Amino acid sequence: MNNLHIQKSAKNGLVFAVIIIFLALIGFTVTAASMIQKVFGVEVSVGTMPKYSALIAFLAFIGLWNGWRAAKQTEEHPLQAGHAILAGLASGFVTGLFALGYSLIVGTLQSNGVNVRVYLSSLSPESIIYFLFGQSPLSGGFIQLSLSTVSAAFGALLVIFWDRSQHQFLIWKQKLSAWGNASWPAKLRRNVFVGYIAMGVVLLLLVILPRTWGSYWNYVMGTVGIYVLLGIGLNIIVGYSGQLVLGYVAFFAIGAYSFALVTAPEPHNLNWNFWIAILVAVVASAISGVLIGLPILRLRGDYLAIVTLGFGEIIRILIKSDLLKEITLGPRGIRNIAGPTLFGKSFSSDSDFMYLIILAVLLSIFLARRWQESRIGRAWLAISQDETVAQATGVDTYKYKLLALAIGAAFAGLGGAIFASRNQFTGPEDHVLMVSINVLCLVIVGGMGSIPGVILGAFALKGLPEILRELESYRLLVFGALLVLMMIVRPEGLWPATRPKYEENSPPPVTVEGGSR
Amino acid sequence: MMMLDVQGINVYYGAIHALKGISFHLNEGEIVALIGANGAGKSTSLSAISRVISTRSGAIFYKGESIINTPPQDIVTRRIIQVPEGRRIFPRMSVVENLEMGAYIHNDRGKIEKNMEAMFARFPRLRERRKQLGGTLSGGEQQMLAIARGLMAEPELLLLDEPSMGLAPIIVEQIFDIIQDINQHGTSILLVEQNAQMALSIANRGYVLETGRVVLEGSADDLLDNPHVQEAYLGGGG
Ligand SMILES: Nc1ncnc2c1ncn2[C@@H]1O[C@H](COP(=O)(O)OP(=O)(O)O)[C@@H](O)[C@H]1O
Ligand SMILES: [Mg+2]
């Protein structure tokens, strides 16, 4: 253990100090504590703070992580227990010192009657007192300091255990995978019928669930489904053809509005049939994709991203503006949008909509697959990897990029139309930049270019926050955290794209022991 | 017979005047070398012929017809194939897929299979690695794949951009043998190289480019004997 190690640990401590203070400033400490308490089955009543034990659990978790990282940073092989614990202690102590300082500053401000809420909306007096465990700033700060130091030391201990058990762990893992390959799960996996049975079960669930799980779940899963639709569309543009388009919401808006305008009684009183209106929305979006693509698809990379980003906003602002007020009703939005009918009967209960969305998703998956595996898909793949060379092999890159944009836009149009119809309303605020970012995030998180990835991504980014209501206001934070985590754990996405036709074997491994795979 | 005739083309990258009225030509069956230092405008010349970048003025004739208004994908169907510099293969496609991309303009499955078999016969290393992703090949293998991909389109004129760049001498030797062999099977070749010695040793004629201009031209042997070429491109003593 030398100065360098201490320095590294102190730096690590500093990073965690920033994390803790940041989380405290945005009020996330309280949210996290409430969630922990809920996990243990104790509801937090409205207007009160969760128990202190929940806060301790949360802070201790961060402390453990702190110590873990500090001890790992020593990069010793094998790790010496004394050094690891010292690193953990040092890092935890530094973090604790800053937490102490923060407690003193905020606590003193608070007790002197300064209303910090003016500057930071989520820093309520209660949350400050909660952070200080109901004590004075000084003793609250010292609790923080000792908690941080002790938990970081434990975190370091964990690393030592981990280090010692790694070898054992590896042996176990090998045994487990050998068993897995030899026994029935593997045989099952190799059996073609299992695939069909699994597919059958999924289909059956898709048929049964919308009828049985109630309107709340239909609403949540319907939203997820619409985002799957959007994800598959954007995936064609970004994942397949490799064009970074940021204003995807524009096509969603065009779909929603063209659907709304031809079906709603106001402002034009056209009252068209649902299915024709859907077609109109899809075609309108696809055409707008081509029209926008014509001038801008010669741009590459960052330029394309920025221009399309602007385009998304322009559409929203146009819809909202006085300029088009006669046509779009401006900020008020369009109400009483028609629901679907089938053979003259209304087909717009929440479960009907769920079926509609499932159908749309299945159709889009089918189409996306077909295109991906065709000559067009091959051209997209080439363009996404090296546009110049694709051109040099005779691919009309401009045409295929335009095609990708039009198809992606059409999917967004379909999604927008269903969305507007389900809500019976659409307004400019349905089409904010955040929609584009959400869809792009789920494509990236799921795994660029992969359809199962898009579905997983939609569940993770649209389903989870809906289920964990608490996280709603921290969605951006969770996005950020998820994205960072993804980069580290699964840089290729949750379910990366593979093209099963060819194996992706890299050069054979240098040493093969035991000869089994 | 004159196959390719480039007449006084000017190319700009924004304000940069990259080609300042360059003229050269290539007769059917020839290997013609364009040599010059980094930044002389060699790659730009090839890209102007394949129409990947546009020329501001000047004319380009291929088999007597102007191709100045021909889009790049139609250049490929006219069997002018560029193999870009820097071993630009598709890294996330397998060797087979890369070769199939090379034949993108063809639809005849049987012919594609036959050509691929011919490529594997010429480059046995590629057959061994047929299912491997392009990005995982060694430098020499990638260069061979890039050339093979170009040949899959059945070129009549092959535009080769620095095939020796960054490769070990022994592999450069192999690749130049292959280039000569391709030429003997009837493909005309416009060869861009910084390695003037190698290029001129297999070329019929050559042009020396400096800062966007042709400063010297002549038969390969004359150029090899030229004091300026020896001084600037063949390391002094020759
Ligand atoms: N994409 C580009 N943008 C701007 N300038 C370029 C670009 N490509 C080439 N150039 C410039 O054009 C000139 C000729 O480049 P190039 O044809 O690549 O030379 P060479 O292939 O002989 O090394 C150089 O000055 C280079 O900096
Ligand atoms: Mg060059």
Side-chain angles (χ1 to χ4, degrees), chain B residues 38-39 41-44 85 161-162 165 192 194:
Chain B
N38 212 345
K42 307 182 296 296
S43 301
T44 305
E85 74 187 312
D161 201 344
E162 304 215 27
M165 188 158 68
V192 156
Q194 279 191 57

Side-chain angles (χ1 to χ4, degrees), chain A residues 206-352:
Chain A
L206 289 181
V207 171
I208 294 174
L209 281 180
R211 296 204 159 278
T212 51
W213 65 9
S215 57
Y216 172 71
W217 283 104
N218 273 333
Y219 180 76
V220 172
M221 287 301 147
T223 308
V224 172
I226 289 174
Y227 270 84
V228 170
L229 205 57
L230 295 178
I232 289 173
L234 187 64
N235 193 31
I236 290 178
I237 305 173
V238 181
Y240 293 175
S241 83
Q243 306 302 305
L244 186 51
V245 166
L246 288 188
Y248 192 55
V249 68
F251 307 118
F252 184 69
I254 289 171
Y257 262 87
S258 42
F259 179 85
L261 290 174
V262 299
T263 57
E266 262 185 301
H268 304 305
N269 200 20
L270 290 172
N271 300 317
W272 285 13
N273 174 283
F274 174 88
W275 303 101
I276 295 176
I278 285 258
L279 212 66
V280 168
V282 169
V283 171
S285 300
I287 291 177
S288 65
V290 173
L291 290 183
I292 294 150
L294 280 174
I296 65 170
L297 274 182
R298 300 215 186 266
L299 302 173
R300 287 183 185 189
D302 328 352
Y303 296 117
L304 183 67
I306 291 165
V307 171
T308 52
L309 179 80
F311 176 71
E313 279 298 279
I314 287 173
I315 291 286
R316 186 177 65 89
I317 292 167
L318 265 183
I319 289 173
K320 210 172 167 177
S321 70
D322 285 338
L323 195 69
L324 295 180
K325 197 162 182 169
E326 299 285 291
I327 306 175
T328 64
L329 296 182
R332 219 190 86 196
I334 298 177
R335 291 168 218 192
N336 301 322
I337 299 172
T341 51
L342 204 60
F343 308 120
K345 282 196 200 128
S346 168
F347 185 71
S348 40
S349 74
D350 52 332
S351 56
D352 291 341

Side-chain angles (χ1 to χ4, degrees), chain A residues 375 385-386 499 503, chain B residues 73 88 92 97 104 131:
Chain A
R375 221 174 125 73
Q385 289 182 37
D386 193 326
R499 284 168 305 113
E503 6 177 329
Chain B
Q73 64 272 16
R88 305 253 298 257
R92 288 178 285 113
E97 286 173 309
Y104 193 79
K131 290 189 175 170

Side-chain angles (χ1 to χ4, degrees), chain A residues 375-376 378-379 381-386 388-397 400 499 502-508, chain B residues 52 72-73 76 81-82 84 88-94 96-97 100-102 104-107 129 131-133 136 149:
Chain A
R375 221 174 125 73
I376 302 172
R378 201 46 84 77
L381 188 63
I383 293 170
S384 72
Q385 289 182 37
D386 193 326
T388 313
V389 180
Q391 212 168 25
T393 57
V395 174
D396 188 344
T397 54
Y400 284 111
R499 284 168 305 113
Y502 299 95
E503 6 177 329
E504 295 195 16
N505 56 339
S506 36
Chain B
V52 174
Q73 64 272 16
V76 176
I81 305 296
Q82 184 180 13
R88 305 253 298 257
I89 43 96
F90 296 110
R92 288 178 285 113
M93 287 190 197
S94 67
V96 171
E97 286 173 309
E100 284 175 349
M101 265 327 284
Y104 193 79
I105 52 164
H106 298 308
N107 273 321
R129 318 219 158 232
K131 290 189 175 170
Q132 201 167 312
L133 291 187
T136 65
R149 185 187 58 203

Side-chain angles (χ1 to χ4, degrees), chain B residues 126-141:
Chain B
L126 295 184
R127 190 200 299 278
E128 288 168 30
R129 318 219 158 232
R130 55 192 298 160
K131 290 189 175 170
Q132 201 167 312
L133 291 187
T136 65
L137 299 177
S138 74
E141 288 162 355

